[in-house]
């Protein structure tokens, strides 16, 4: 299954109510496909990843199932829903916030007969300490340190037709996020290896150029060629480059290291996703 295939019906990839060995295998396939398809050539890659993937899937399942039930989001429900009154300063802020969601626009364009949609409301959380007043008994105390919480930048990120669809999509995207964290860690080693490989090709090209020029007029006067010092310098750089490449290990070793990095991230999902 290719990368694009994984994004065509993402809501079917994760079902928090029906964890199975088949789901684990699909998750392994997805993690490897998104990270590096060549990881499939590492011996026993599925057996090595299965325990860690199982940890991540169960952790995400618990997170998804722990989320509160959906609430109606509308101007009319602002006055009766405490959460909406906390999230939005006024009822009039709700339509403008939802109107900015391209995801909602796309959903209703795709399903024009849809009357309502479910979505994950994402916001920036702002917290600051201020001095205010507090009532203790019948006494009003001034200059009391208080924590004021505010929300801004409201966005409807994950949209769908049913609550269960949103939870499945959330689980799928949470798993993809973990894989992305592994990729960011793997990327540093890949960049170093790629930079060394590029430098090696550049050094070799310069060596070939100098060697093709030959000794030139230096042979006529029994003198060392003028570029001999440059040759020695490039040869030393090439040796140093090869030593650095050897320290990173063979391509097979690199694949094994990438698999291990992926396994370590998936084994500890709580380090990256916290609720």
């Amino acid at each position: 299954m290719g990368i694009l295939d994984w994004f065509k019906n993402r809501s079917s990839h994760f079902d928090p109510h029906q964890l199975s060995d088949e789901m684990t295998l699909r998750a392994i396939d997805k993690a490897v496909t998104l990270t590096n398809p060549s990881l499939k050539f590492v011996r026993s890659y599925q057996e090595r990843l299965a325990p860690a993937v199982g940890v991540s899937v169960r952790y995400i399942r618990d997170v998804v199932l722990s989320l509160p039930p959906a609430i109606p989001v509308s101007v009319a429900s602002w006055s009766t829903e405490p959460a909406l009154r906390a999230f939005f300063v006024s009822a009039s802020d709700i339509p403008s916030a939802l109107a900015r969601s391209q995801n909602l626009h796309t959903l209703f364009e795709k399903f024009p007969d849809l009357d309502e949609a479910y979505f994950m409301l994402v916001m920036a959380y702002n917290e600051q300490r201020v001095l205010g007043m507090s009532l203790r008994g019948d006494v009003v105390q001034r200059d009391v340190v208080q924590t004021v919480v505010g929300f801004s930048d409201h966005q409807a990120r994950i949209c769908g037709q049913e609550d269960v669809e949103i939870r499945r999509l959330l689980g799928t995207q949470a798993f993809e996020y973990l894989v992305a964290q592994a990729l960011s860690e793997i990327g540093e080693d890949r960049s170093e290896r790629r930079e060394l490989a590029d430098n090696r090709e550049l050094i070799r090209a310069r060596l070939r150029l100098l060697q093709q020029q030959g000794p030139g007029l230096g042979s006529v006067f029994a003198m060392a060629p003028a570029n001999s010092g440059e040759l020695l310098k490039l040869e030393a750089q090439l040796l140093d480059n090869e030593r650095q490449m050897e320290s990173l290990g063979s391509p097979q070793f690199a694949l094994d290291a990438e698999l291990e990095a992926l396994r370590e991230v998936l084994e500890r999902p709580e380090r990256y996703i916290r609720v």
Side-chain angles (χ1 to χ4, degrees):
M1 179 177 291
I3 292 178
L4 294 179
D5 294 327
W6 276 108
F7 292 92
K8 290 180 177 178
N9 193 20
R10 295 164 87 193
S11 61
S12 65
H13 299 167
F14 180 82
D15 186 351
H17 298 287
Q18 295 183 5
L19 302 187
S20 63
D21 293 339
E22 181 183 358
M23 183 189 296
T24 300
L25 289 175
R26 289 203 308 268
I28 292 173
D29 187 34
K30 181 172 191 176
V32 168
T33 300
L34 295 179
T35 304
N36 184 353
S38 295
L39 292 178
K40 294 180 180 180
F41 297 110
V42 177
R43 179 181 297 179
S44 305
Y45 78 95
Q46 290 182 322
E47 290 79 0
R48 291 173 60 181
L49 287 178
V53 168
V55 170
S56 286
V57 169
R58 289 190 296 272
Y59 180 81
I60 294 172
R61 184 267 314 271
D62 294 341
V63 168
V64 169
L65 294 181
S66 69
L67 295 177
I71 61 173
V73 179
S74 66
V75 172
S77 59
W78 181 84
S79 61
T80 58
E81 287 289 348
L84 292 183
R85 293 200 302 274
F87 297 153
F88 296 95
V89 175
S90 65
S92 60
D93 293 330
I94 296 178
S96 58
L98 299 185
R100 293 193 299 267
S101 172
Q102 186 59 46
N103 290 341
L104 279 176
H105 281 290
T106 301
L107 180 67
F108 282 110
E109 288 172 1
K110 185 176 181 180
F111 302 99
D113 296 332
L114 197 62
D115 294 325
E116 64 179 17
Y118 289 79
F119 59 89
M120 293 289 297
L121 182 63
V122 181
M123 299 160 285
Y125 174 81
N126 310 297
E127 183 177 299
Q128 58 181 335
R129 308 280 281 181
V130 299
L131 296 178
M133 295 187 297
S134 176
L135 182 63
R136 294 191 176 180
D138 297 330
V139 180
V140 175
Q141 293 185 333
R142 300 179 182 276
D143 296 332
V144 177
V145 178
Q146 297 176 336
T147 301
V148 177
V149 173
F151 299 92
S152 60
D153 193 23
H154 304 75
Q155 300 180 45
R157 287 280 182 86
I158 305 177
C159 307
Q161 301 182 65
E162 298 177 330
D163 178 85
V164 64
E165 181 183 2
I166 298 304
R167 293 177 187 270
R168 288 180 174 180
L169 283 169
L170 177 62
T172 299
Q173 293 191 25
F175 186 77
E176 292 169 1
Y177 175 79
L178 290 175
V179 175
Q181 301 313 299
L183 267 173
S184 66
E185 298 182 10
I186 292 171
E188 296 181 6
D189 181 69
R190 283 184 183 173
S191 297
E192 183 180 1
R193 186 179 294 274
R194 189 179 301 113
E195 183 178 355
L196 286 172
D198 291 342
N199 287 340
R200 180 176 58 186
E201 292 305 313
L202 180 60
I203 295 170
R204 286 177 173 174
R206 293 175 64 187
L207 271 172
R208 286 194 298 269
L209 181 62
L210 286 175
Q211 290 167 347
Q212 287 169 2
Q213 290 176 354
L217 293 178
S219 61
V220 177
F221 299 101
M223 297 171 55
N227 56 14
S228 62
E230 183 67 15
L231 278 171
L232 293 174
K233 181 181 177 180
L234 289 175
E235 289 172 353
Q237 290 178 357
L238 184 59
L239 287 174
D240 182 61
N241 179 281
E242 290 176 351
R243 281 194 293 267
Q244 293 184 60
M245 289 289 288
E246 288 177 0
S247 69
L248 294 178
S250 65
Q252 185 61 39
F253 177 86
L255 284 176
D256 195 78
E258 289 188 7
L259 186 73
E260 184 62 18
L262 177 61
R263 186 195 64 78
E264 289 180 356
V265 170
L266 296 177
E267 193 174 48
R268 301 187 63 182
E270 70 280 357
R271 293 175 55 188
Y272 307 92
I273 299 176
R274 293 184 297 274
V275 178

